Amino acid sequence: MLFLNMGFQISDELLGTFVPILVYWIYSGLYVGLGYFENYRLHTKQDEDEKNLVSKTTVVKGVLLQQSIQAVVAILLFTVTANDSEADIDQQPSLIVLARQFVTAMLVLDTWQYFMHRYMHHNKFLYRHIHSQHHRLVVPYAFGALYNHPLEGLLLDTIGGALSFLLSGMSPRASIFFFSFATIKTVDDHCGLWLPGNLFHVFFQNNTAYHDVHHQLYGSKYNFSQPFFVMWDRILGTYMPYSLEKKEGGGFEARLAKEYKDN
């Protein structure tokens, strides 16, 4: 339980439910402003406006719907596990335990999302009726990161998040930080900007350019991994290498390795 001024208190469970949602809109809002710097874009602003197959108003509505479902499931999950959480309140985990829980949650979320994501591409019915909604964003942008069909949002993100929470053994308080971090990483992967000094680009191969390749027609059967590592793509042969090149008119472009261009 966290205490605020004037004796007002907010439970860790409530913060774990709504802080990641707030973080999503704040962080993606920052990228909306930065998106006008054409020299750092992977696609031009004109491409973003013309190539995408869905309006930004529809995207906002879709994301809010997914976050509403996500909040309901989170509240139910925290309610069901409340007794276990209360027992751990007085026993704060060490930094080593927290690090282990974070890494475990990252691996669980990556594994779940890779196989579900890949299956939705290979099953024609699921792709046509569900996953194709996300790929209406040919040119990804930050606040479109969670624009999915509601069923996909439930299966990939919400259930995947619940599994990572349960299997890692983290507390509701730790989940505030983990899911906020996962949210920031997901938004960053869809932001369409290659900014200097972005630590996600330094520490993660699975980054903005990597996921941008997947959103293009030539990469739609590759780079399924999300949101942290690329291990499953490498292990199962769906990794598509690329080079990041500066474009003459400004900005960057993720160009395929030569062997993939020839296929």
Side-chain angles (χ1 to χ4, degrees), residues 75-145:
I75 291 170
L76 290 173
L77 179 64
F78 285 136
T79 301
V80 170
T81 60
N83 291 336
D84 294 335
S85 300
E86 289 172 3
D88 293 336
I89 286 178
D90 297 328
Q91 189 176 6
Q92 296 298 325
S94 66
L95 289 177
I96 293 176
V97 171
L98 282 173
R100 175 181 57 77
Q101 291 174 341
F102 264 59
V103 171
T104 300
M106 291 166 78
L107 292 173
V108 169
L109 188 58
D110 262 30
T111 300
W112 177 263
Q113 292 215 351
Y114 175 85
F115 288 100
M116 290 298 296
H117 185 194
R118 182 174 179 177
Y119 184 65
M120 285 193 173
H121 272 271
H122 286 275
N123 183 298
K124 292 181 179 179
F125 178 85
L126 290 178
Y127 184 82
R128 183 181 302 113
H129 296 285
I130 296 177
H131 188 57
S132 63
Q133 178 169 322
H134 182 68
H135 281 272
R136 292 175 187 171
L137 294 178
V138 179
V139 178
Y141 50 80
F143 65 85

Side-chain angles (χ1 to χ4, degrees), residues 15-28:
L15 290 171
T17 300
F18 292 104
V19 167
I21 295 174
L22 185 62
V23 166
Y24 181 92
W25 292 108
I26 292 174
Y27 194 64
S28 61

Side-chain angles (χ1 to χ4, degrees), residues 43-239:
H43 302 272
T44 65
K45 190 72 171 62
Q46 182 177 354
D47 283 346
E48 179 184 304
D49 294 335
E50 294 181 356
K51 290 187 176 181
N52 286 330
L53 306 176
V54 61
S55 72
K56 290 182 178 178
T57 300
T58 300
V59 168
V60 170
K61 291 178 181 178
V63 172
L64 289 174
L65 174 60
Q66 174 166 332
Q67 289 176 329
S68 299
I69 297 170
Q70 176 183 306
V72 170
V73 173
I75 291 170
L76 290 173
L77 179 64
F78 285 136
T79 301
V80 170
T81 60
N83 291 336
D84 294 335
S85 300
E86 289 172 3
D88 293 336
I89 286 178
D90 297 328
Q91 189 176 6
Q92 296 298 325
S94 66
L95 289 177
I96 293 176
V97 171
L98 282 173
R100 175 181 57 77
Q101 291 174 341
F102 264 59
V103 171
T104 300
M106 291 166 78
L107 292 173
V108 169
L109 188 58
D110 262 30
T111 300
W112 177 263
Q113 292 215 351
Y114 175 85
F115 288 100
M116 290 298 296
H117 185 194
R118 182 174 179 177
Y119 184 65
M120 285 193 173
H121 272 271
H122 286 275
N123 183 298
K124 292 181 179 179
F125 178 85
L126 290 178
Y127 184 82
R128 183 181 302 113
H129 296 285
I130 296 177
H131 188 57
S132 63
Q133 178 169 322
H134 182 68
H135 281 272
R136 292 175 187 171
L137 294 178
V138 179
V139 178
Y141 50 80
F143 65 85
L146 292 184
Y147 175 66
N148 300 305
H149 187 284
L151 182 59
E152 176 179 351
L154 178 64
L155 290 174
L156 261 74
D157 299 312
T158 307
I159 292 180
L163 288 172
S164 65
F165 172 75
L166 292 170
L167 296 178
S168 67
M170 67 174 57
S171 67
R173 182 166 297 179
S175 77
I176 300 169
F177 299 97
F178 174 73
F179 289 117
S180 294
F181 173 63
T183 296
I184 290 171
K185 179 66 173 62
T186 300
V187 169
D188 208 89
D189 290 347
H190 289 81
C191 72
L193 295 169
W194 194 263
L195 295 172
N198 188 327
L199 294 180
F200 286 124
H201 299 163
V202 175
F203 292 106
F204 291 94
Q205 281 186 287
N206 195 336
N207 52 41
T208 309
Y210 187 84
H211 194 67
D212 183 77
V213 168
H214 175 73
H215 270 261
Q216 307 313 307
L217 183 61
Y218 57 76
S220 62
K221 293 185 179 180
Y222 298 90
N223 294 9
F224 297 113
S225 292
Q226 56 185 42
F228 299 111
F229 309 114
V230 300
M231 62 177 185
W232 288 116
D233 277 321
R234 286 190 176 275
I235 292 170
L236 297 175
T238 53
Y239 177 81

Side-chain angles (χ1 to χ4, degrees), residues 247-262:
K247 293 187 288 188
E248 289 185 6
F252 295 90
E253 179 183 1
R255 295 179 182 170
L256 304 186
K258 185 177 184 302
E259 60 267 27
Y260 284 83
K261 287 182 181 179
D262 296 336

